[in-house]
Amino acid sequence: KEGTYRGKPYADAKKYADKGSRVAPSPVNLAYSWNKALGYRHGQITLGESSLVFNLPIMIGPAMNLHRHAYNSRAVEYYSEDPILSGYMGSAVTQGAQSKGTLVNIKHAAFNDQEINRSGIAVFMSEQKAREMDLRNIQQAFEAKGKPDDFNGRAHPHGDYRQGALGVMTSYNRIGAVASSANAGVMNDIMRDEWGFTGYSVTDLTSVSPHASPKESLMAGTTAFCGFGNQGVEYWNPETLSSDKAMLSAIRKDIHYALWALANSNAMNGVNETTHTQNTLTWWRGLYLAGITLTALATLLGLVGCVLDWRRSSGKSLPSGADIDEGGAR
């Protein structure tokens, strides 16, 4: 609750003593400005600069669900009922925030149609409706489609930043009968395989609980669970997980996604030319490297031996006094 940069208070930090963060404009008003450059600037200042001021590299936003009806209390966080207007504005805000190194998590993916009783509600639809409305909306942010007009033909005054969203937060609701974070059709087949998303994917506030389908979520590309604790998941322990090859492979891939996103965020601001790193060689890795070295030396000696043997064989001459007739008989 003070104005700081990377933990160090500004000179006028006392002015911010009773404030938690900067005040954001209504996304609805921002969308109906039809001004992508303004959205980009909003992403830079309200999200990006705040991320630096409070030393928080991950921002849970912007919110990019569609306005479905007037009684959805979270609609105040969303841009529009139109997937193109919402998608382009949300994409511009995303790019503006990421230009400052903020790891955004666009939310709530996907089909968060209502706020009341949203936990576990099953949302059914045709694939056409999904792709033409909700998915078309967030696709713009993943593919960086909402470029401000002044990006075209000249350099943007605040930096020409065109990278798609590096993070996403899934929704409480189910997609069909499957938890959104565990829905491989949306999370893997569409987001990662079709749209090329390779970033950070976090659940809404579920923790590791049956509601979040943790095993299936990890298999579907979820990289983190929002919340803490192990709530009634029997197999969530080292002994069980260590014998599940498919699960371990998915965890490894998911950690790769998360680390890649963090490496492209301002979480790396403290890493520079003065950073000191120290590598530790474990005993098992030492044996592994020694085995590789010995195998390479043995292979090299074997090749040298083959060459020497071949040269010695090809250099042999016939015994003295031996005659060869025209038929080849000795």
Side-chain angles (χ1 to χ4, degrees), residues 62-285:
M64 289 187 64
N65 287 108
L66 295 179
H67 292 175
R68 295 286 290 145
H69 53 77
Y71 299 105
N72 185 351
S73 60
R74 294 294 285 274
V76 67
E77 298 181 41
Y78 308 145
Y79 295 104
S80 172
E81 76 284 357
D82 180 82
I84 297 301
L85 177 58
S86 173
Y88 274 39
M89 189 59 68
S91 176
V93 172
T94 293
Q95 292 174 72
Q98 290 185 162
S99 72
K100 297 293 184 177
T102 306
L103 174 52
V104 304
N105 287 177
I106 59 174
K107 62 179 185 180
H108 306 85
F111 316 107
N112 186 50
D113 284 353
Q114 66 182 60
E115 186 65 15
I116 298 175
N117 297 324
R118 65 179 176 142
S119 182
I121 189 171
V123 182
F124 291 87
M125 75 216 76
S126 67
E127 183 172 353
Q128 181 179 4
K129 183 269 182 185
R131 287 185 176 271
E132 291 186 357
M133 297 296 292
D134 303 69
L135 295 182
R136 191 177 191 186
N137 168 31
I138 61 175
Q139 181 180 2
Q140 315 310 314
F142 281 113
E143 297 184 347
K145 292 293 180 63
K147 304 177 186 67
D149 293 333
D150 55 0
F151 273 16
N152 299 321
R154 67 181 182 87
H156 191 273
H158 307 299
D160 188 352
Y161 189 86
R162 304 187 183 213
Q163 187 170 25
L166 294 176
V168 64
M169 172 177 266
T170 54
S171 52
Y172 270 119
N173 60 269
R174 298 178 181 274
I175 302 175
V178 182
S180 65
S181 58
N183 193 295
V186 173
M187 304 306 296
N188 261 341
D189 298 346
I190 295 178
M191 286 189 188
R192 296 201 183 277
D193 294 343
E194 288 188 26
W195 299 346
F197 174 57
T198 56
Y200 181 88
S201 176
V202 62
T203 67
D204 208 332
L205 189 59
T206 61
S207 183
V208 180
S209 63
H211 170 73
S213 302
K215 181 175 183 178
E216 292 77 11
S217 293
L218 287 172
M219 298 293 286
T222 295
T223 64
F225 294 86
C226 186
F228 303 93
N230 176 0
Q231 302 174 19
V233 183
E234 295 181 357
Y235 61 80
W236 202 255
N237 59 74
E239 292 74 21
T240 303
L241 294 177
S242 63
S243 62
D244 191 334
K245 181 179 179 181
M247 187 70 156
L248 292 179
S249 178
I251 291 173
R252 182 179 183 276
K253 183 183 294 185
D254 294 337
I255 291 176
H256 190 186
Y257 288 141
L259 293 179
W260 182 86
L262 287 167
N264 283 274
S265 75
N266 60 39
M268 302 299 290
N269 279 4
V271 180
N272 54 38
E273 65 276 3
T274 64
T275 300
H276 173 73
T277 61
Q278 182 173 342
N279 296 321
T280 302
L281 184 64
T282 59
W283 66 268
W284 58 266
R285 187 163 180 80

Side-chain angles (χ1 to χ4, degrees), residues 321-325 329-330:
D323 295 325
I324 299 177
D325 60 21
R330 182 172 296 174

